Amino acid sequence: MLEYLVSLQGYIQSFLRPGTWLSFAKKYHSEEAEWTFSQPKSTITTNEAMNAVWSAAQTLDYFVARTKNDSNDTMVIDTFTKAKWMDQIIFKFGSGTPVVVHVEASSTGVFPLIIPFAPILNIFFAFVPFKDWGKNYSAMEKLRKETEKIMDSSIETKTIRRSLGNPRRKEKKQ
């Protein structure tokens, strides 16, 4: 019953994403990076890269491959914590060689989906800044490493923006 509630609310939360509506609040719990699919295969296509990320998400616990749109080279993957907070990773794939992907991970709301009516509560509290404590960064890294295993290729990562709630923020950007 509880999993059904989380699943149903997950679809709603994935569509609404109230935690990303206001930029002043979003900066505390969202990260941006650029992935470049490189060595040893320099001829990786956008479609191959998309399929690898999609497959990686399906093999990891607490990851839900939600939307894959081949026509505009975008993908949405939802991640859940054990307490059922939902974060979302959005991929925008480039079409060049090597394939460059803009990756943004962000928390979708202040309340976990285990709470009844959490998507509605998250709408009312969209203005509240809350920290992710580096969870979005960790989810991106976990997915990147799994994708590297599937592709048998390395992915170079360039940090564009770290969340203000990430303890690693004070470390030097890559």
Side-chain angles (χ1 to χ4, degrees), residues 118-129:
I120 295 168
L121 291 170
N122 285 325
I123 288 171
F124 288 117
F125 290 92
F127 66 91
V128 175

Side-chain angles (χ1 to χ4, degrees), residues 45-133:
T45 66
T46 300
N47 196 38
E48 289 172 332
M50 286 182 78
N51 289 336
V53 173
W54 188 259
S55 296
Q58 292 176 328
T59 62
L60 293 169
D61 290 338
Y62 303 108
F63 282 71
V64 178
R66 189 74 75 185
T67 308
K68 181 179 173 191
N69 190 334
D70 292 326
S71 64
N72 65 1
D73 298 331
T74 60
M75 183 182 309
V76 176
I77 295 172
D78 294 337
T79 67
F80 292 86
T81 66
K82 290 179 183 176
K84 303 302 181 195
W85 268 284
M86 189 177 100
D87 300 327
Q88 193 169 73
I89 306 173
I90 299 174
F91 298 87
K92 295 179 182 168
F93 290 80
S95 58
T97 302
V99 176
V100 176
V101 185
H102 181 266
V103 185
E104 182 180 0
S106 57
S107 301
T108 61
V110 70
F111 293 102
L113 298 182
I114 201 166
I115 297 173
F117 305 106
I120 295 168
L121 291 170
N122 285 325
I123 288 171
F124 288 117
F125 290 92
F127 66 91
V128 175
F130 59 93
K131 295 181 178 183
D132 71 340
W133 299 106

